[in-house]
Amino acid sequence: MKSWHHTNQFCQLFLLKFRNNDCDAKTAFKNPCGTKFKTPSKLWGFPMTENKMKPPKIAAWLFSIFCTDREKNTIAGDMDEYYVMLRNEEGRLKADAWYWKQVLFSLFAFMKNFSFWRIVMLKNYVKVSLRTIKRNKGYSLINILGLAVGMASCILVFLWLQHELSYDRFHKNADCLFRIDQVNANPAGEITTYRLTPPALLDTLKDNYPGIQNGARYLYREWKLKGKENTFNEIGAIVDEAFLNIFTFPLVKGDKKEVLSKPDSIVLTKELAKKIFGNANPVGERITVQDRFDFVVTGILGKIPGRSSLSFDFLVPFTFAQKVSSSFTGNWQNSFLHTYVELDSESSLSAVTQNISGLITKHVPESPSRLSLTPFLRIHLHDPDPYKLKGSGNAAYVPVFSIMAVFLLLIACINFMNLSTAQSGNRAKEVGLRKVVGAKRWNVITQFYGESLLLTFIAAVFAMGFVALFLPEFNELTGKQFGLEILSQPQNWGIVLGAAVLTGVISGFYPSLFLSSYQPIGLFKGLLKRGKKGINVRRFLVIFQFAISIVTVIGSIGIYRQLHFMQSKDLGFDRNNVLYFRLQGNLASKYSALKKELLKVPGVRNLTTTDSPPGRRESYTDNIIWEGKKLNEKVEMEVLAVDFDYVGTFSIAMAQGRFFSKEFSTDETAGIVVNEAAVKAMGMESPLGKRFAYRSEGIEGRIIGVVKDFNSRSLHYAIGPLFMIVYPDWCDTVCVKVGPENISSTVVSIENAIHQMVPDYPFDYQFLDEDLNSLYILEQRTGTFIRYVMILTVFLSCLGLLGLASYAAEKRSKEIGIRRALGSSVFSVFVLLTKDFAKWVLLANVLAWPVAYLALQKWMGRFAYKTGMSLAMFLLAGAFAVLLALITTGYHSLKCAYTRPVDALRYE
């Protein structure tokens, strides 16, 4: 502060000596810093035009920032006067230089002084905060625990959100990658999107449509692989040679330009290569696929990133598929693979989409399909295909999970606000004393914000512990594999720090404004009036947090009811005790013999083959005609390839006619079985015997039977039109119905029977009921997440209510003592202390029920079949919340009521 005082001394010395004419000008103008100025010939004769001769704006602005109001009226005014005088005598350049010099010297001194006192005050604030925490251990523990739980929830959800939004971004040109879809609109205006396209599409696009820089087809399925010693069932993908140029999958061995150049090439992932060949170099080794095709290993891929929508164990070239089957060449009729394209960076997405939109119709005039482009980066969260891609997400759950986490943190902050404002009377005199000795309101606000941040940072330490403790359960909930190493990543420390600061700012906002508003004169005269404002705010906050809790309780009940409904609903077929496995390699050619052996196994009731088990259907066509079809009439139907025992194995009922039978030789080549939805879609009254043709496969025949509708897909979708054909070449899945007794021994006997025919066959099986339940994995995870959120919101709400009840009982102890002395019963005291809290929770129910109803209605809208929402679930949630509130507040109420009046009054 030396130069600051020098400036002040200089200005006072100059004005005093000059105006009193006590000395000559040179003495008066001598700068305490040592600088001498030339004496002006006239002083008071100068025209003092301050309005025209103002000091430099930036310097004056800086000086005004660091000056107090009192200093602005003295020092700043003297400096302005001297600046005008010096400018008249020496010119503007020297005057500006002098002014800047004084400002810079003063600025340095001010910063030093400012820093010193801020450190002193910070130490004081920390000391006061720690004393406050120590003095109010119970309330501090409630605040720290609540804030820690809220922050831990936010940190975990943010880590999950960060992971979900980063899917597929490791690809170099991810922003330019798109998947081509087919979009159909029915007469009712409903739009259906199909991800599969015909194999002939890509060649036409690359040759004739500008803007499409590159492309690759992608078809995958489970195949049997055999190395030198071991045999495995693995997921393989048939891709174009350009696949590894479009997608940035790490190739650790081999050349991208050559690894898929030959039809017999195969590229393995590093994990599969080690599984088959151990630590030996696999490049150049041979692998047999499906016991029929020999491939040479030409490349090894590194580990496929966990945040990849495409998942596979090996790649084979598209030229191999074209060599084996003609359906991969020039085929526009059947759509059975994905097509991915890379657009030129200068191309317009809308222009390319418009150009290719009608391409299918050009080659298949009767097709209503239009082509569209889906950004590859949107596929993980926005693609509604849970069967085909690894770890499919759902964009709807991003805001749901995020909002729930924010609500948890908000409830914890509300608890902090309530307890801080409820205890305001205890710190009122402290605030008054600070203001009397010169503290301004913003100083008090700073103090209480500092306390809030300190408490929050303490809670953040506990939050990190909670994150580490519950990370395994969180991984199981989300299906991810987060490790503790994520907590050591710098960007995640930033997340924790940001969460702590944000929590401190939110939780300290209202208490700091509330406590800093007290006036000293009223505090020291004992005139502090709490008024209704603070109480009303606390009521609102309690009602708000309990409303959130009730919404989560109702949501948890509704989701549980829907999941139970889906798992127990009659799907129209028997899904219990049915296991299925794939026919691979030589086993497919020996199916007839295998069926005879399996039927001899004790416990096997029946078995059948199909192209896909129920619930996993994804094959559709509109390339059909039927007797009585109108011109330009289009009906899209599901195609199901079966054998003669399909209905018997799954106990599917017939509505009309009969099912396929070996007694009728024409059933295998000309028999058609449809479901009731197909009959309705075709507008037939008597479907039996009507002609029906599946033109793309050259199948023509007559309808021999109608099965009752059954759910061939998940309950997200309504039952649609379906027709069945006997097509052994498509049937690659065996479904075995077993008895409920000794299931494990039956499975072992099935495996032994298979190995007797094909010793190296990898027997991988699944039970159908478990597989069908996995179709609702996202819903199950949502239900689990909401259940956890419900527990935490209820816990945090009750925690805050416990603190408020404790404080209310403490403050009213004298009143309760008087009431008890005058004869009030324990029950009446209990009602007195709990009725307000009960009313708040009842009001929270009124607010929560409409919100919960609308949220559940929107969530259940995703399902074609859903359970209803009964009034009982809302009443149950409301009663549960009131009961918890009474239990939470009842402890302190009863404790206060049972205290002897003499003790309560003596305490006061």
Side-chain angles (χ1 to χ4, degrees):
M1 295 298 292
K2 184 175 180 181
S3 62
W4 182 277
H5 291 304
H6 282 173
T7 303
N8 194 17
Q9 291 170 7
F10 162 74
C11 294
Q12 293 176 359
L13 179 64
F14 161 69
L15 293 174
L16 176 64
K17 292 188 175 183
F18 173 73
R19 290 176 181 174
N20 294 330
N21 296 316
D22 290 338
C23 62
D24 60 2
K26 286 187 177 181
T27 304
F29 286 134
K30 186 174 182 179
N31 192 317
C33 298
T35 303
K36 296 183 179 180
F37 298 93
K38 184 178 179 182
T39 305
S41 58
K42 292 184 179 180
L43 295 175
W44 290 105
F46 288 159
M48 304 297 283
T49 55
E50 290 85 350
N51 292 332
K52 296 182 179 180
M53 296 185 181
K54 293 183 178 180
K57 290 184 178 179
I58 298 179
W61 174 73
L62 284 174
F63 195 74
S64 66
I65 289 178
F66 299 114
C67 274
T68 63
D69 293 337
R70 183 172 55 189
E71 291 167 341
K72 287 179 183 179
N73 296 329
T74 57
I75 300 176
D78 293 343
M79 288 181 65
D80 289 345
E81 290 181 17
Y82 184 69
Y83 171 82
V84 173
M85 182 184 63
L86 186 61
R87 181 169 172 177
N88 283 323
E89 178 65 22
E90 301 289 344
R92 178 173 181 177
L93 184 61
K94 286 189 176 182
D96 287 353
W98 175 84
Y99 198 93
W100 268 107
K101 181 178 180 180
Q102 303 308 313
V103 169
L104 293 177
F105 270 99
S106 301
L107 180 61
F108 174 77
F110 174 83
M111 292 299 297
K112 182 179 178 181
N113 185 64
F114 179 85
S115 302
F116 173 78
W117 287 111
R118 286 300 177 271
I119 293 173
V120 171
M121 290 306 298
L122 179 62
K123 290 173 62 177
N124 177 262
Y125 289 160
V126 172
K127 186 184 295 184
V128 171
S129 300
L130 293 176
R131 287 175 178 174
T132 303
I133 293 173
K134 185 177 180 180
R135 186 168 57 250
N136 302 289
K137 297 183 181 69
Y139 302 128
S140 299
L141 179 62
I142 290 175
N143 282 330
I144 291 173
L145 182 59
L147 292 174
V149 170
M151 281 193 286
S153 304
C154 275
I155 292 168
L156 286 172
V157 170
F158 191 90
L159 291 174
W160 170 82
L161 182 63
Q162 184 185 51
H163 183 272
E164 290 293 284
L165 296 178
S166 63
Y167 254 77
D168 298 315
R169 295 189 179 276
F170 63 91
H171 295 295
K172 183 178 179 181
N173 298 319
D175 293 330
C176 299
L177 300 180
F178 297 85
R179 186 189 63 201
I180 299 182
D181 298 332
Q182 296 189 66
V183 179
N184 292 349
N186 62 19
E190 298 175 349
I191 297 177
T192 306
T193 301
Y194 298 97
R195 304 155 205 87
L196 303 179
T197 52
L201 173 64
L202 182 62
D203 294 331
T204 303
L205 288 176
K206 290 195 298 184
D207 295 339
N208 302 292
Y209 289 86
I212 297 179
Q213 183 174 322
N214 211 339
R217 288 160 286 202
Y218 182 85
L219 172 64
Y220 72 97
R221 62 185 303 134
E222 186 181 71
W223 283 345
K224 177 184 175 184
L225 268 67
K226 184 177 181 181
K228 291 182 178 180
E229 299 178 357
N230 303 321
T231 304
F232 306 94
N233 282 341
E234 305 291 343
I235 300 296
I238 301 174
V239 298
D240 283 282
E241 188 176 349
F243 181 80
L244 293 178
N245 294 325
I246 296 175
F247 298 102
T248 315
F249 291 108
L251 187 67
V252 296
K253 290 185 179 180
D255 187 347
K256 285 185 178 182
K257 298 179 180 179
E258 298 179 359
V259 290
L260 294 172
S261 60
K262 298 179 180 180
D264 62 345
S265 302
I266 186 170
V267 179
L268 309 179
T269 60
K270 190 175 182 179
E271 292 83 354
L272 180 59
K274 186 173 183 179
K275 188 189 295 186
I276 298 176
F277 298 103
N279 295 324
N281 184 6
V283 177
E285 297 289 342
R286 290 190 170 273
I287 290 180
T288 302
V289 178
Q290 295 292 83
D291 294 326
R292 296 173 55 194
F293 310 106
D294 289 331
F295 289 88
V296 177
V297 179
T298 55
I300 302 297
L301 289 170
K303 184 177 181 181
I304 304 298
R307 291 171 291 183
S308 173
S309 294
L310 301 178
S311 178
F312 49 83
D313 300 304
F314 64 92
L315 300 173
V316 295
F318 201 78
T319 50
F320 157 74
Q322 291 176 322
K323 181 180 177 181
V324 172
S325 174
S326 60
S327 62
F328 288 87
T329 304
N331 186 350
W332 285 95
Q333 296 293 335
N334 297 323
S335 299
F336 56 85
L337 50 76
H338 294 91
T339 302
Y340 297 100
V341 295
E342 179 182 359
L343 298 190
D344 192 318
S345 59
E346 298 180 356
S347 300
S348 168
L349 174 61
S350 58
V352 174
T353 303
Q354 186 176 0
N355 288 339
I356 70 172
S357 177
L359 184 56
I360 296 290
T361 308
K362 288 183 180 180
H363 295 270
V364 186
E366 64 274 12
S367 175
S369 297
R370 314 289 293 180
L371 295 180
S372 67
L373 294 174
T374 298
F376 188 69
L377 292 178
R378 288 176 55 86
I379 289 177
H380 173 69
L381 286 176
H382 298 269
D383 183 272
D385 181 9
Y387 315 137
K388 303 300 182 183
L389 299 175
K390 176 187 175 183
S392 295
N394 193 313
Y397 294 105
V398 171
V400 171
F401 284 16
S402 302
I403 290 172
M404 290 294 102
V406 170
F407 276 167
L408 285 173
L409 186 60
L410 196 57
I411 289 176
C413 294
I414 287 173
N415 287 342
F416 184 93
M417 296 180 195
N418 279 338
L419 292 178
S420 297
T421 54
Q423 300 177 77
S424 59
N426 296 343
R427 306 194 65 181
K429 289 186 178 181
E430 176 192 343
V431 173
L433 184 60
R434 287 182 180 275
K435 287 192 173 184
V436 165
V437 298
K440 297 185 180 297
R441 185 176 184 183
W442 70 269
N443 297 119
V444 180
I445 291 176
T446 301
Q447 176 196 347
F448 286 108
Y449 252 126
E451 292 184 11
S452 173
L453 289 171
L454 176 62
L455 205 67
T456 302
F457 280 114
I458 295 174
V461 176
F462 287 93
M464 294 299 291
F466 289 155
V467 169
L469 181 63
F470 294 106
L471 197 58
E473 286 74 13
F474 186 73
N475 285 337
E476 184 178 353
L477 171 63
T478 59
K480 308 300 180 183
Q481 295 298 322
F482 296 120
L484 291 177
E485 66 276 3
I486 63 173
L487 300 179
S488 62
Q489 297 173 357
Q491 65 269 25
N492 292 336
W493 278 105
I495 295 171
V496 176
L497 180 62
V501 173
L502 179 63
T503 304
V505 170
I506 294 174
S507 57
F509 176 73
Y510 179 70
S512 62
L513 293 180
F514 181 81
L515 293 170
S516 65
S517 64
Y518 290 149
Q519 298 300 320
I521 187 170
L523 296 174
F524 291 111
K525 286 184 176 181
L527 300 177
L528 174 63
K529 295 182 179 180
R530 299 179 182 273
K532 293 185 178 181
K533 184 178 180 181
I535 297 175
N536 289 336
V537 171
R538 288 196 294 276
R539 285 176 180 172
F540 168 77
L541 294 176
V542 170
I543 291 170
F544 177 74
Q545 65 179 177
F546 261 93
I548 295 174
S549 302
I550 294 166
V551 168
T552 59
V553 171
I554 296 173
S556 183
I557 295 173
I559 292 174
Y560 171 79
R561 281 166 52 91
Q562 178 64 19
L563 288 174
H564 178 72
F565 169 77
M566 292 187 297
Q567 293 169 354
S568 60
K569 182 182 182 298
D570 182 12
L571 301 178
F573 63 91
D574 186 4
R575 60 183 170 183
N576 297 317
N577 303 325
V578 176
L579 64 87
Y580 69 90
F581 59 91
R582 294 288 306 279
L583 283 175
Q584 302 279 6
N586 293 333
L587 190 63
S589 61
K590 299 179 180 181
Y591 172 69
S592 298
L594 176 65
K595 182 175 182 179
K596 293 179 182 179
E597 292 300 321
L598 291 182
L599 289 174
K600 295 177 183 179
V601 173
V604 174
R605 303 285 179 84
N606 207 340
L607 76 156
T608 185
T609 58
T610 179
D611 61 341
S612 181
R616 295 287 185 176
R617 297 299 307 142
E618 192 69 19
S619 177
Y620 303 89
T621 183
D622 58 5
N623 194 18
I624 54 176
I625 58 174
W626 62 89
E627 185 176 339
K629 178 183 178 182
K630 299 177 182 178
L631 186 64
N632 296 327
E633 185 178 5
K634 292 288 180 183
V635 173
E636 191 172 61
M637 290 194 186
E638 185 179 338
V639 188
L640 182 59
V642 300
D643 71 357
F644 298 98
D645 298 307
Y646 187 85
V647 165
T649 301
F650 291 107
S651 302
I652 299 175
M654 298 296 299
Q656 299 181 47
R658 60 179 178 81
F659 197 66
F660 302 110
S661 174
K662 292 183 179 179
E663 297 179 1
F664 300 88
S665 59
T666 57
D667 280 4
E668 184 170 353
T669 57
I672 305 292
V673 174
V674 298
N675 67 351
E676 294 173 307
V679 174
K680 183 178 180 180
M682 293 184 293
M684 294 182 178
E685 295 183 359
S686 302
L688 298 182
K690 296 291 179 66
R691 293 191 301 274
F692 188 98
Y694 182 18
R695 294 185 298 180
S696 60
E697 295 300 323
I699 297 175
E700 296 185 10
R702 294 182 180 274
I703 298 175
I704 63 173
V706 179
V707 297
K708 289 190 174 181
D709 286 338
F710 65 94
N711 292 92
S712 60
R713 294 197 292 171
S714 72
L715 296 180
H716 294 94
Y717 308 98
I719 297 175
L722 173 146
F723 70 93
M724 303 180 186
I725 55 175
V726 178
Y727 209 116
D729 291 344
W730 287 5
C731 296
D732 59 358
T733 302
V734 180
C735 301
V736 184
K737 176 71 174 180
V738 300
E741 62 282 346
N742 299 322
I743 294 179
S744 58
S745 61
T746 303
V747 172
V748 172
S749 298
I750 293 173
E751 183 176 10
N752 292 335
I754 293 173
H755 285 162
Q756 286 180 1
M757 291 192 169
V758 183
D760 61 350
Y761 184 82
F763 181 57
D764 296 329
Y765 68 92
Q766 287 181 281
F767 277 96
L768 183 60
D769 55 348
E770 296 176 356
D771 188 50
L772 292 176
N773 288 336
S774 70
L775 297 177
Y776 313 108
I777 186 67
L778 286 176
E779 286 75 20
Q780 292 169 3
R781 288 174 179 169
T782 302
T784 305
F785 181 80
I786 296 295
R787 186 161 61 250
Y788 284 143
V789 171
M790 176 197 72
I791 295 171
L792 291 176
T793 54
V794 170
F795 169 74
L796 291 176
S797 299
C798 292
L799 199 64
L801 205 60
L802 180 65
L804 287 177
S806 173
Y807 188 79
E810 179 184 337
K811 282 300 180 185
R812 302 182 70 175
S813 59
K814 184 176 180 180
E815 175 192 347
I816 300 305
I818 295 174
R819 287 179 179 273
R820 293 284 287 135
L822 295 176
S824 295
S825 64
V826 172
F827 179 75
S828 63
V829 173
F830 174 82
V831 172
L832 176 69
L833 292 176
T834 58
K835 65 179 182 180
D836 285 339
F837 296 112
K839 287 191 296 184
W840 297 354
V841 176
L842 287 173
L843 182 57
N845 276 279
V846 175
L847 299 177
W849 285 7
V851 176
Y853 175 82
L854 293 175
L856 269 180
Q857 188 179 48
K858 184 175 181 179
W859 182 80
M860 288 185 178
R862 303 174 60 249
F863 301 92
Y865 304 94
K866 48 186 174 287
T867 183
M869 288 181 284
S870 64
L871 180 62
M873 57 190 286
F874 291 87
L875 294 175
L876 179 63
F880 176 71
V882 174
L883 180 62
L884 277 179
L886 292 177
I887 293 174
T888 303
T889 58
Y891 169 74
H892 289 290
S893 300
L894 291 175
K895 181 180 177 181
C896 186
Y898 277 111
T899 301
R900 294 187 306 166
V902 63
D903 294 335
L905 296 174
R906 181 183 297 137
Y907 173 78
E908 290 293 327

